[in-house]
Short mmCIF file of all heavy atoms in Angstrom, two decimals:
data_model
loop_
_atom_site.label_atom_id
_atom_site.label_comp_id
_atom_site.label_asym_id
_atom_site.label_seq_id
_atom_site.Cartn_x
_atom_site.Cartn_y
_atom_site.Cartn_z
N MET A 1 -34.48 -208.54 -3.06
CA MET A 1 -35.16 -209.44 -2.19
C MET A 1 -34.20 -210.18 -1.35
O MET A 1 -33.26 -210.83 -1.80
CB MET A 1 -35.98 -210.42 -3.05
CG MET A 1 -36.72 -211.42 -2.24
SD MET A 1 -38.04 -212.24 -3.11
CE MET A 1 -37.21 -213.65 -3.75
N LEU A 2 -34.37 -210.14 0.00
CA LEU A 2 -33.47 -210.76 0.92
C LEU A 2 -33.86 -212.20 1.25
O LEU A 2 -33.07 -213.00 1.67
CB LEU A 2 -33.37 -209.98 2.19
CG LEU A 2 -32.78 -208.57 2.08
CD1 LEU A 2 -32.83 -207.87 3.40
CD2 LEU A 2 -31.35 -208.67 1.55
N SER A 3 -35.15 -212.53 1.09
CA SER A 3 -35.64 -213.84 1.42
C SER A 3 -35.12 -214.89 0.46
O SER A 3 -35.03 -214.71 -0.75
CB SER A 3 -37.15 -213.85 1.40
OG SER A 3 -37.66 -215.12 1.65
N ARG A 4 -34.81 -216.07 1.02
CA ARG A 4 -34.43 -217.19 0.18
C ARG A 4 -35.48 -218.26 0.20
O ARG A 4 -35.31 -219.33 -0.37
CB ARG A 4 -33.10 -217.81 0.71
CG ARG A 4 -31.94 -216.84 0.56
CD ARG A 4 -30.71 -217.41 1.20
NE ARG A 4 -29.70 -216.39 1.29
CZ ARG A 4 -28.56 -216.49 0.63
NH1 ARG A 4 -28.29 -217.48 -0.11
NH2 ARG A 4 -27.64 -215.49 0.77
N SER A 5 -36.61 -217.96 0.82
CA SER A 5 -37.70 -218.92 0.89
C SER A 5 -38.59 -218.77 -0.32
O SER A 5 -38.76 -217.68 -0.88
CB SER A 5 -38.59 -218.67 2.11
OG SER A 5 -37.83 -218.78 3.29
N GLN A 6 -39.13 -219.92 -0.80
CA GLN A 6 -40.06 -219.89 -1.91
C GLN A 6 -41.47 -219.82 -1.40
O GLN A 6 -41.86 -220.61 -0.53
CB GLN A 6 -39.85 -221.16 -2.72
CG GLN A 6 -38.50 -221.29 -3.33
CD GLN A 6 -38.33 -220.41 -4.57
OE1 GLN A 6 -39.31 -220.08 -5.20
NE2 GLN A 6 -37.12 -219.97 -4.79
N GLU A 7 -42.30 -218.97 -1.95
CA GLU A 7 -43.72 -218.96 -1.61
C GLU A 7 -44.46 -219.90 -2.48
O GLU A 7 -44.25 -220.01 -3.68
CB GLU A 7 -44.28 -217.51 -1.80
CG GLU A 7 -43.97 -216.65 -0.61
CD GLU A 7 -44.82 -215.39 -0.59
OE1 GLU A 7 -46.05 -215.53 -0.84
OE2 GLU A 7 -44.28 -214.34 -0.39
N SER A 8 -45.34 -220.63 -1.88
CA SER A 8 -46.19 -221.58 -2.61
C SER A 8 -47.34 -220.84 -3.32
O SER A 8 -47.88 -219.91 -2.83
CB SER A 8 -46.80 -222.63 -1.61
OG SER A 8 -47.54 -223.53 -2.32
N GLN A 9 -47.67 -221.35 -4.49
CA GLN A 9 -48.79 -220.78 -5.27
C GLN A 9 -50.12 -221.36 -4.91
O GLN A 9 -51.15 -220.89 -5.30
CB GLN A 9 -48.52 -220.95 -6.80
CG GLN A 9 -47.25 -220.33 -7.22
CD GLN A 9 -47.23 -218.79 -7.00
OE1 GLN A 9 -48.26 -218.12 -7.21
NE2 GLN A 9 -46.13 -218.25 -6.64
N HIS A 10 -50.11 -222.40 -4.07
CA HIS A 10 -51.31 -223.08 -3.63
C HIS A 10 -51.18 -223.41 -2.17
O HIS A 10 -50.10 -223.31 -1.54
CB HIS A 10 -51.59 -224.35 -4.48
CG HIS A 10 -50.54 -225.38 -4.29
ND1 HIS A 10 -49.28 -225.29 -4.86
CD2 HIS A 10 -50.50 -226.51 -3.54
CE1 HIS A 10 -48.55 -226.29 -4.52
NE2 HIS A 10 -49.25 -227.07 -3.69
N LEU A 11 -52.31 -223.80 -1.58
CA LEU A 11 -52.30 -224.17 -0.16
C LEU A 11 -51.74 -225.58 -0.02
O LEU A 11 -52.36 -226.56 -0.51
CB LEU A 11 -53.74 -224.11 0.41
CG LEU A 11 -53.86 -224.39 1.89
CD1 LEU A 11 -53.10 -223.37 2.73
CD2 LEU A 11 -55.33 -224.39 2.32
N PRO A 12 -50.57 -225.74 0.57
CA PRO A 12 -50.00 -227.09 0.70
C PRO A 12 -50.71 -227.93 1.75
O PRO A 12 -51.41 -227.44 2.62
CB PRO A 12 -48.53 -226.79 1.12
CG PRO A 12 -48.57 -225.42 1.73
CD PRO A 12 -49.72 -224.74 1.13
N LEU A 13 -50.46 -229.23 1.66
CA LEU A 13 -50.99 -230.14 2.64
C LEU A 13 -50.24 -229.91 3.95
O LEU A 13 -49.11 -229.44 3.97
CB LEU A 13 -50.78 -231.59 2.20
CG LEU A 13 -51.53 -231.98 0.92
CD1 LEU A 13 -51.09 -233.37 0.47
CD2 LEU A 13 -53.04 -231.97 1.19
N PRO A 14 -50.86 -230.23 5.09
CA PRO A 14 -50.19 -230.01 6.39
C PRO A 14 -48.81 -230.59 6.56
O PRO A 14 -47.91 -229.94 7.00
CB PRO A 14 -51.13 -230.70 7.43
CG PRO A 14 -52.49 -230.59 6.75
CD PRO A 14 -52.21 -230.78 5.29
N HIS A 15 -48.60 -231.76 6.01
CA HIS A 15 -47.27 -232.42 6.08
C HIS A 15 -46.28 -231.61 5.27
O HIS A 15 -45.12 -231.41 5.70
CB HIS A 15 -47.38 -233.85 5.55
CG HIS A 15 -46.27 -234.73 5.95
ND1 HIS A 15 -45.08 -234.81 5.25
CD2 HIS A 15 -46.15 -235.56 7.01
CE1 HIS A 15 -44.30 -235.67 5.83
NE2 HIS A 15 -44.87 -236.11 6.89
N ASP A 16 -46.72 -231.11 4.14
CA ASP A 16 -45.85 -230.28 3.31
C ASP A 16 -45.57 -228.90 3.95
O ASP A 16 -44.47 -228.34 3.76
CB ASP A 16 -46.42 -230.07 1.90
CG ASP A 16 -46.49 -231.37 1.14
OD1 ASP A 16 -45.59 -232.25 1.37
OD2 ASP A 16 -47.38 -231.51 0.27
N MET A 17 -46.57 -228.39 4.64
CA MET A 17 -46.33 -227.13 5.37
C MET A 17 -45.22 -227.29 6.43
O MET A 17 -44.36 -226.43 6.55
CB MET A 17 -47.61 -226.69 6.10
CG MET A 17 -48.68 -226.11 5.24
SD MET A 17 -50.05 -225.61 6.33
CE MET A 17 -51.23 -225.15 5.13
N ILE A 18 -45.27 -228.39 7.13
CA ILE A 18 -44.24 -228.65 8.15
C ILE A 18 -42.85 -228.73 7.51
O ILE A 18 -41.90 -228.18 8.01
CB ILE A 18 -44.53 -229.93 8.93
CG1 ILE A 18 -45.82 -229.65 9.79
CG2 ILE A 18 -43.40 -230.32 9.85
CD1 ILE A 18 -46.36 -230.90 10.47
N ARG A 19 -42.81 -229.39 6.35
CA ARG A 19 -41.50 -229.52 5.65
C ARG A 19 -40.99 -228.13 5.19
O ARG A 19 -39.80 -227.88 5.24
CB ARG A 19 -41.62 -230.45 4.45
CG ARG A 19 -41.74 -231.88 4.79
CD ARG A 19 -41.76 -232.79 3.50
NE ARG A 19 -42.08 -234.12 3.89
CZ ARG A 19 -41.20 -235.03 4.24
NH1 ARG A 19 -39.91 -234.70 4.35
NH2 ARG A 19 -41.54 -236.26 4.56
N GLN A 20 -41.96 -227.29 4.73
CA GLN A 20 -41.55 -225.92 4.33
C GLN A 20 -41.04 -225.10 5.54
O GLN A 20 -40.05 -224.38 5.43
CB GLN A 20 -42.73 -225.20 3.67
CG GLN A 20 -43.09 -225.74 2.32
CD GLN A 20 -44.30 -225.11 1.72
OE1 GLN A 20 -44.92 -224.18 2.34
NE2 GLN A 20 -44.68 -225.53 0.54
N LEU A 21 -41.75 -225.26 6.68
CA LEU A 21 -41.29 -224.57 7.86
C LEU A 21 -39.92 -225.09 8.29
O LEU A 21 -39.06 -224.28 8.70
CB LEU A 21 -42.25 -224.78 9.01
CG LEU A 21 -43.61 -224.06 8.89
CD1 LEU A 21 -44.60 -224.58 9.94
CD2 LEU A 21 -43.38 -222.57 9.03
N LEU A 22 -39.68 -226.39 8.18
CA LEU A 22 -38.39 -226.96 8.50
C LEU A 22 -37.29 -226.41 7.61
O LEU A 22 -36.22 -225.96 8.12
CB LEU A 22 -38.45 -228.50 8.39
CG LEU A 22 -37.11 -229.24 8.56
CD1 LEU A 22 -36.49 -228.92 9.97
CD2 LEU A 22 -37.36 -230.72 8.42
N LYS A 23 -37.56 -226.32 6.33
CA LYS A 23 -36.56 -225.76 5.40
C LYS A 23 -36.21 -224.28 5.79
O LYS A 23 -35.09 -223.86 5.72
CB LYS A 23 -37.08 -225.81 3.96
CG LYS A 23 -36.99 -227.17 3.37
CD LYS A 23 -37.46 -227.08 1.89
CE LYS A 23 -37.39 -228.45 1.23
NZ LYS A 23 -37.81 -228.35 -0.15
N GLY A 24 -37.25 -223.53 6.17
CA GLY A 24 -37.05 -222.13 6.56
C GLY A 24 -36.20 -222.02 7.81
O GLY A 24 -35.26 -221.21 7.86
N GLN A 25 -36.44 -222.86 8.84
CA GLN A 25 -35.65 -222.85 10.02
C GLN A 25 -34.21 -223.22 9.73
O GLN A 25 -33.27 -222.62 10.28
CB GLN A 25 -36.25 -223.83 11.08
CG GLN A 25 -37.59 -223.44 11.61
CD GLN A 25 -37.62 -222.15 12.31
OE1 GLN A 25 -36.82 -221.87 13.20
NE2 GLN A 25 -38.56 -221.26 11.98
N GLU A 26 -34.04 -224.25 8.88
CA GLU A 26 -32.65 -224.64 8.53
C GLU A 26 -31.92 -223.54 7.82
O GLU A 26 -30.72 -223.35 7.98
CB GLU A 26 -32.73 -225.94 7.71
CG GLU A 26 -33.15 -227.14 8.59
CD GLU A 26 -33.41 -228.37 7.77
OE1 GLU A 26 -33.67 -228.28 6.54
OE2 GLU A 26 -33.36 -229.46 8.35
N ALA A 27 -32.63 -222.80 6.91
CA ALA A 27 -32.02 -221.71 6.20
C ALA A 27 -31.62 -220.58 7.12
O ALA A 27 -30.48 -220.03 6.94
CB ALA A 27 -33.01 -221.17 5.13
N VAL A 28 -32.43 -220.32 8.15
CA VAL A 28 -32.02 -219.28 9.07
C VAL A 28 -30.77 -219.68 9.85
O VAL A 28 -29.87 -218.85 10.07
CB VAL A 28 -33.21 -218.98 10.06
CG1 VAL A 28 -32.76 -218.11 11.24
CG2 VAL A 28 -34.42 -218.35 9.33
N VAL A 29 -30.71 -220.92 10.24
CA VAL A 29 -29.52 -221.42 10.98
C VAL A 29 -28.28 -221.31 10.10
O VAL A 29 -27.22 -220.90 10.58
CB VAL A 29 -29.75 -222.84 11.49
CG1 VAL A 29 -28.45 -223.42 12.11
CG2 VAL A 29 -30.84 -222.88 12.59
N ARG A 30 -28.36 -221.74 8.82
CA ARG A 30 -27.21 -221.65 7.93
C ARG A 30 -26.74 -220.20 7.80
O ARG A 30 -25.59 -219.94 7.88
CB ARG A 30 -27.58 -222.21 6.58
CG ARG A 30 -27.47 -223.73 6.46
CD ARG A 30 -27.57 -224.16 5.00
NE ARG A 30 -28.75 -223.71 4.30
CZ ARG A 30 -29.94 -224.28 4.34
NH1 ARG A 30 -30.13 -225.39 5.04
NH2 ARG A 30 -30.91 -223.74 3.66
N THR A 31 -27.71 -219.29 7.59
CA THR A 31 -27.35 -217.89 7.49
C THR A 31 -26.69 -217.34 8.78
O THR A 31 -25.72 -216.66 8.72
CB THR A 31 -28.56 -217.04 7.10
OG1 THR A 31 -29.13 -217.57 5.87
CG2 THR A 31 -28.22 -215.59 6.92
N ALA A 32 -27.29 -217.70 9.91
CA ALA A 32 -26.78 -217.25 11.20
C ALA A 32 -25.35 -217.77 11.41
O ALA A 32 -24.49 -217.09 11.94
CB ALA A 32 -27.66 -217.65 12.33
N ARG A 33 -25.09 -219.00 11.03
CA ARG A 33 -23.73 -219.57 11.16
C ARG A 33 -22.72 -218.75 10.30
O ARG A 33 -21.61 -218.48 10.75
CB ARG A 33 -23.69 -221.03 10.74
CG ARG A 33 -24.28 -221.91 11.81
CD ARG A 33 -24.06 -223.37 11.51
NE ARG A 33 -24.66 -224.17 12.55
CZ ARG A 33 -25.39 -225.24 12.32
NH1 ARG A 33 -25.61 -225.64 11.13
NH2 ARG A 33 -25.93 -225.90 13.36
N TRP A 34 -23.13 -218.41 9.11
CA TRP A 34 -22.26 -217.62 8.25
C TRP A 34 -21.99 -216.25 8.87
O TRP A 34 -20.84 -215.79 8.94
CB TRP A 34 -22.91 -217.49 6.83
CG TRP A 34 -22.13 -216.62 5.93
CD1 TRP A 34 -21.01 -217.05 5.23
CD2 TRP A 34 -22.27 -215.26 5.63
NE1 TRP A 34 -20.52 -216.00 4.47
CE2 TRP A 34 -21.31 -214.89 4.71
CE3 TRP A 34 -23.24 -214.28 6.03
CZ2 TRP A 34 -21.18 -213.59 4.25
CZ3 TRP A 34 -23.14 -213.04 5.53
CH2 TRP A 34 -22.10 -212.70 4.65
N VAL A 35 -23.03 -215.59 9.36
CA VAL A 35 -22.90 -214.24 9.95
C VAL A 35 -22.07 -214.38 11.26
O VAL A 35 -21.29 -213.51 11.61
CB VAL A 35 -24.25 -213.59 10.18
CG1 VAL A 35 -24.08 -212.28 10.92
CG2 VAL A 35 -24.97 -213.38 8.87
N PHE A 36 -22.26 -215.49 11.99
CA PHE A 36 -21.50 -215.69 13.23
C PHE A 36 -20.01 -215.70 12.94
O PHE A 36 -19.22 -215.12 13.70
CB PHE A 36 -21.93 -217.00 13.90
CG PHE A 36 -21.14 -217.32 15.17
CD1 PHE A 36 -21.52 -216.82 16.33
CD2 PHE A 36 -20.05 -218.18 15.07
CE1 PHE A 36 -20.83 -217.07 17.47
CE2 PHE A 36 -19.33 -218.45 16.23
CZ PHE A 36 -19.69 -217.92 17.43
N ALA A 37 -19.63 -216.38 11.87
CA ALA A 37 -18.17 -216.45 11.50
C ALA A 37 -17.68 -215.04 11.20
O ALA A 37 -16.53 -214.71 11.59
CB ALA A 37 -18.01 -217.37 10.31
N VAL A 38 -18.46 -214.26 10.58
CA VAL A 38 -18.06 -212.84 10.26
C VAL A 38 -17.92 -212.06 11.58
O VAL A 38 -16.93 -211.34 11.78
CB VAL A 38 -19.04 -212.16 9.33
CG1 VAL A 38 -18.76 -210.68 9.17
CG2 VAL A 38 -19.11 -212.87 7.98
N ALA A 39 -18.89 -212.23 12.50
CA ALA A 39 -18.85 -211.47 13.74
C ALA A 39 -17.65 -211.95 14.58
O ALA A 39 -16.99 -211.13 15.23
CB ALA A 39 -20.16 -211.71 14.54
N GLU A 40 -17.41 -213.25 14.57
CA GLU A 40 -16.29 -213.78 15.31
C GLU A 40 -14.95 -213.27 14.79
O GLU A 40 -14.04 -212.89 15.53
CB GLU A 40 -16.32 -215.31 15.29
CG GLU A 40 -15.47 -215.93 16.39
CD GLU A 40 -15.72 -217.44 16.41
OE1 GLU A 40 -15.70 -218.05 15.32
OE2 GLU A 40 -15.85 -217.98 17.53
N ALA A 41 -14.80 -213.21 13.44
CA ALA A 41 -13.58 -212.70 12.79
C ALA A 41 -13.38 -211.23 13.19
O ALA A 41 -12.21 -210.76 13.22
CB ALA A 41 -13.62 -212.91 11.33
N ALA A 42 -14.43 -210.50 13.36
CA ALA A 42 -14.34 -209.05 13.71
C ALA A 42 -14.25 -208.83 15.22
O ALA A 42 -14.27 -207.68 15.65
CB ALA A 42 -15.59 -208.32 13.13
N ASN A 43 -14.19 -209.91 15.97
CA ASN A 43 -14.16 -209.80 17.46
C ASN A 43 -15.37 -209.05 18.00
O ASN A 43 -15.26 -208.29 18.95
CB ASN A 43 -12.85 -209.17 17.96
CG ASN A 43 -11.69 -210.07 17.64
OD1 ASN A 43 -11.74 -211.31 17.80
ND2 ASN A 43 -10.58 -209.46 17.25
N ASP A 44 -16.53 -209.25 17.35
CA ASP A 44 -17.80 -208.59 17.76
C ASP A 44 -18.51 -209.57 18.69
O ASP A 44 -19.40 -210.29 18.26
CB ASP A 44 -18.60 -208.24 16.51
CG ASP A 44 -19.86 -207.47 16.85
OD1 ASP A 44 -20.17 -207.38 18.05
OD2 ASP A 44 -20.50 -207.06 15.93
N GLU A 45 -18.15 -209.66 19.93
CA GLU A 45 -18.71 -210.62 20.87
C GLU A 45 -20.22 -210.40 21.08
O GLU A 45 -20.95 -211.40 21.20
CB GLU A 45 -17.94 -210.57 22.19
CG GLU A 45 -16.54 -211.21 22.03
CD GLU A 45 -15.83 -211.26 23.34
OE1 GLU A 45 -16.48 -211.40 24.40
OE2 GLU A 45 -14.57 -211.22 23.33
N PRO A 46 -20.71 -209.14 21.25
CA PRO A 46 -22.17 -209.01 21.43
C PRO A 46 -22.99 -209.57 20.27
O PRO A 46 -23.99 -210.28 20.48
CB PRO A 46 -22.37 -207.48 21.54
CG PRO A 46 -21.07 -206.99 22.03
CD PRO A 46 -20.06 -207.86 21.38
N SER A 47 -22.52 -209.34 19.05
CA SER A 47 -23.24 -209.90 17.90
C SER A 47 -23.15 -211.41 17.85
O SER A 47 -24.11 -212.14 17.56
CB SER A 47 -22.74 -209.29 16.59
OG SER A 47 -23.03 -207.92 16.52
N ALA A 48 -21.95 -211.90 18.17
CA ALA A 48 -21.75 -213.38 18.15
C ALA A 48 -22.65 -214.01 19.24
O ALA A 48 -23.25 -215.08 19.01
CB ALA A 48 -20.27 -213.71 18.43
N ASP A 49 -22.76 -213.40 20.39
CA ASP A 49 -23.65 -213.93 21.44
C ASP A 49 -25.08 -213.93 21.02
O ASP A 49 -25.82 -214.91 21.21
CB ASP A 49 -23.48 -213.10 22.70
CG ASP A 49 -24.28 -213.63 23.86
OD1 ASP A 49 -24.20 -214.85 24.14
OD2 ASP A 49 -25.07 -212.84 24.46
N GLN A 50 -25.54 -212.82 20.40
CA GLN A 50 -26.91 -212.78 19.92
C GLN A 50 -27.18 -213.83 18.85
O GLN A 50 -28.24 -214.50 18.83
CB GLN A 50 -27.23 -211.35 19.44
CG GLN A 50 -28.67 -211.20 19.04
CD GLN A 50 -28.99 -209.77 18.62
OE1 GLN A 50 -28.12 -209.05 18.17
NE2 GLN A 50 -30.21 -209.39 18.76
N LEU A 51 -26.26 -214.01 17.97
CA LEU A 51 -26.39 -215.03 16.91
C LEU A 51 -26.46 -216.43 17.49
O LEU A 51 -27.23 -217.27 17.04
CB LEU A 51 -25.27 -214.92 15.88
CG LEU A 51 -25.38 -213.72 14.96
CD1 LEU A 51 -24.04 -213.40 14.32
CD2 LEU A 51 -26.47 -213.98 13.91
N THR A 52 -25.64 -216.67 18.57
CA THR A 52 -25.68 -217.98 19.20
C THR A 52 -27.09 -218.23 19.76
O THR A 52 -27.63 -219.32 19.60
CB THR A 52 -24.59 -218.04 20.30
OG1 THR A 52 -23.34 -217.89 19.71
CG2 THR A 52 -24.67 -219.36 21.07
N GLN A 53 -27.65 -217.22 20.38
CA GLN A 53 -28.99 -217.39 20.97
C GLN A 53 -30.04 -217.64 19.87
O GLN A 53 -30.91 -218.49 20.03
CB GLN A 53 -29.35 -216.15 21.79
CG GLN A 53 -28.50 -216.00 23.04
CD GLN A 53 -28.80 -214.67 23.77
OE1 GLN A 53 -29.92 -214.26 23.78
NE2 GLN A 53 -27.76 -214.08 24.31
N ARG A 54 -29.93 -216.93 18.78
CA ARG A 54 -30.88 -217.09 17.69
C ARG A 54 -30.72 -218.51 17.07
O ARG A 54 -31.71 -219.17 16.76
CB ARG A 54 -30.72 -216.04 16.58
CG ARG A 54 -30.95 -214.60 17.02
CD ARG A 54 -32.32 -214.38 17.64
NE ARG A 54 -33.43 -215.07 17.06
CZ ARG A 54 -34.57 -215.32 17.69
NH1 ARG A 54 -34.73 -214.96 18.92
NH2 ARG A 54 -35.55 -215.93 17.13
N MET A 55 -29.49 -218.94 16.88
CA MET A 55 -29.26 -220.27 16.34
C MET A 55 -29.87 -221.37 17.22
O MET A 55 -30.51 -222.29 16.73
CB MET A 55 -27.77 -220.54 16.11
CG MET A 55 -27.19 -219.87 14.92
SD MET A 55 -25.47 -220.34 14.54
CE MET A 55 -24.59 -219.52 15.87
N GLN A 56 -29.78 -221.19 18.52
CA GLN A 56 -30.31 -222.18 19.44
C GLN A 56 -31.83 -222.25 19.32
O GLN A 56 -32.39 -223.35 19.24
CB GLN A 56 -29.97 -221.79 20.90
CG GLN A 56 -28.50 -222.07 21.24
CD GLN A 56 -28.15 -221.55 22.60
OE1 GLN A 56 -28.83 -220.75 23.23
NE2 GLN A 56 -26.99 -222.01 23.13
N VAL A 57 -32.48 -221.11 19.16
CA VAL A 57 -33.94 -221.09 19.01
C VAL A 57 -34.36 -221.76 17.68
O VAL A 57 -35.20 -222.64 17.67
CB VAL A 57 -34.48 -219.63 18.99
CG1 VAL A 57 -35.93 -219.57 18.54
CG2 VAL A 57 -34.33 -219.03 20.40
N HIS A 58 -33.66 -221.44 16.60
CA HIS A 58 -34.06 -222.01 15.34
C HIS A 58 -33.65 -223.46 15.17
O HIS A 58 -34.35 -224.22 14.52
CB HIS A 58 -33.49 -221.15 14.17
CG HIS A 58 -34.13 -219.81 14.11
ND1 HIS A 58 -35.40 -219.61 13.67
CD2 HIS A 58 -33.71 -218.56 14.52
CE1 HIS A 58 -35.74 -218.29 13.75
NE2 HIS A 58 -34.69 -217.69 14.24
N GLU A 59 -32.53 -223.86 15.82
CA GLU A 59 -32.17 -225.29 15.81
C GLU A 59 -33.19 -226.11 16.59
O GLU A 59 -33.53 -227.22 16.18
CB GLU A 59 -30.80 -225.45 16.36
CG GLU A 59 -29.69 -225.00 15.38
CD GLU A 59 -28.30 -225.01 15.99
OE1 GLU A 59 -28.15 -225.02 17.21
OE2 GLU A 59 -27.34 -224.98 15.19
N LYS A 60 -33.69 -225.59 17.68
CA LYS A 60 -34.70 -226.23 18.48
C LYS A 60 -35.99 -226.33 17.67
O LYS A 60 -36.66 -227.40 17.64
CB LYS A 60 -34.99 -225.52 19.79
CG LYS A 60 -36.01 -226.22 20.66
CD LYS A 60 -36.18 -225.50 21.97
CE LYS A 60 -37.27 -226.22 22.81
NZ LYS A 60 -37.51 -225.53 24.11
N ASN A 61 -36.40 -225.29 17.01
CA ASN A 61 -37.57 -225.30 16.16
C ASN A 61 -37.41 -226.32 15.08
O ASN A 61 -38.36 -227.09 14.78
CB ASN A 61 -37.85 -223.93 15.50
CG ASN A 61 -38.29 -222.91 16.52
OD1 ASN A 61 -38.67 -223.21 17.66
ND2 ASN A 61 -38.19 -221.66 16.11
N ALA A 62 -36.29 -226.41 14.42
CA ALA A 62 -36.01 -227.37 13.36
C ALA A 62 -36.09 -228.80 13.94
O ALA A 62 -36.70 -229.70 13.32
CB ALA A 62 -34.65 -227.11 12.69
N TRP A 63 -35.55 -229.00 15.10
CA TRP A 63 -35.62 -230.35 15.73
C TRP A 63 -37.05 -230.76 15.97
O TRP A 63 -37.42 -231.89 15.63
CB TRP A 63 -34.84 -230.29 17.05
CG TRP A 63 -34.87 -231.64 17.77
CD1 TRP A 63 -33.99 -232.65 17.58
CD2 TRP A 63 -35.78 -232.06 18.77
NE1 TRP A 63 -34.35 -233.69 18.40
CE2 TRP A 63 -35.45 -233.33 19.16
CE3 TRP A 63 -36.90 -231.45 19.37
CZ2 TRP A 63 -36.21 -234.07 20.08
CZ3 TRP A 63 -37.61 -232.15 20.31
CH2 TRP A 63 -37.22 -233.45 20.63
N THR A 64 -37.86 -229.83 16.47
CA THR A 64 -39.26 -230.10 16.74
C THR A 64 -40.01 -230.45 15.48
O THR A 64 -40.77 -231.40 15.39
CB THR A 64 -39.94 -228.91 17.42
OG1 THR A 64 -39.25 -228.63 18.66
CG2 THR A 64 -41.40 -229.19 17.74
N LEU A 65 -39.77 -229.61 14.39
CA LEU A 65 -40.40 -229.91 13.12
C LEU A 65 -39.96 -231.24 12.49
O LEU A 65 -40.80 -231.97 11.96
CB LEU A 65 -40.14 -228.75 12.16
CG LEU A 65 -40.82 -227.42 12.54
CD1 LEU A 65 -40.22 -226.28 11.71
CD2 LEU A 65 -42.33 -227.51 12.37
N ARG A 66 -38.68 -231.58 12.63
CA ARG A 66 -38.17 -232.85 12.14
C ARG A 66 -38.90 -234.04 12.82
O ARG A 66 -39.17 -235.01 12.21
CB ARG A 66 -36.70 -233.01 12.38
CG ARG A 66 -35.85 -232.58 11.22
CD ARG A 66 -34.36 -232.87 11.37
NE ARG A 66 -33.65 -231.69 11.02
CZ ARG A 66 -33.08 -230.76 11.78
NH1 ARG A 66 -33.17 -230.91 13.08
NH2 ARG A 66 -32.49 -229.75 11.30
N SER A 67 -39.17 -233.89 14.10
CA SER A 67 -39.87 -234.90 14.85
C SER A 67 -41.31 -235.14 14.31
O SER A 67 -41.85 -236.22 14.51
CB SER A 67 -39.87 -234.66 16.35
OG SER A 67 -40.82 -233.64 16.68
N MET A 68 -41.86 -234.12 13.73
CA MET A 68 -43.23 -234.22 13.19
C MET A 68 -43.31 -234.88 11.81
O MET A 68 -44.33 -235.37 11.45
CB MET A 68 -43.88 -232.82 13.12
CG MET A 68 -44.08 -232.19 14.42
SD MET A 68 -44.80 -230.53 14.12
CE MET A 68 -44.86 -229.91 15.75
N VAL A 69 -42.21 -234.83 11.11
CA VAL A 69 -42.20 -235.41 9.74
C VAL A 69 -41.51 -236.78 9.69
O VAL A 69 -41.51 -237.41 8.64
CB VAL A 69 -41.57 -234.48 8.68
CG1 VAL A 69 -42.44 -233.23 8.54
CG2 VAL A 69 -40.17 -234.12 9.01
N ALA A 70 -40.98 -237.17 10.80
CA ALA A 70 -40.23 -238.47 10.80
C ALA A 70 -41.18 -239.64 10.77
O ALA A 70 -42.27 -239.60 11.06
CB ALA A 70 -39.36 -238.51 12.08
#
């Protein structure tokens, strides 16, 4: 299993759903940062560029979700 997300056994409350989505976005960013370091060490610029773009999307999503739970 590649996923690091936990599936809920019940329907969470909306506020908890947002927190779960936020955790997922943050997990994707952490993983992308780790892979970015690998791509950078291998001088793989196309992969590093793609990872940068993905991190920007997921960081923006995380920021938006954080604003909803603040």
Side-chain angles (χ1 to χ4, degrees):
M1 176 162 93
L2 296 175
S3 175
R4 294 176 191 243
S5 299
Q6 297 284 333
E7 279 196 44
S8 179
Q9 299 299 321
H10 64 283
L11 184 61
L13 296 172
H15 199 273
D16 293 332
M17 284 182 186
I18 293 171
R19 287 184 189 276
Q20 288 176 1
L21 288 169
L22 175 57
K23 283 183 180 181
Q25 294 297 311
E26 290 171 338
V28 170
V29 171
R30 279 191 305 275
T31 302
R33 283 189 180 134
W34 178 81
V35 175
F36 178 84
V38 173
E40 198 172 45
N43 294 321
D44 184 353
E45 290 185 29
S47 295
D49 182 52
Q50 186 175 24
L51 286 161
T52 299
Q53 292 174 37
R54 297 307 319 157
M55 284 188 286
Q56 289 173 342
V57 168
H58 292 287
E59 286 171 343
K60 182 178 179 181
N61 290 345
W63 179 87
T64 301
L65 292 166
R66 267 188 225 101
S67 74
M68 294 178 184
V69 295

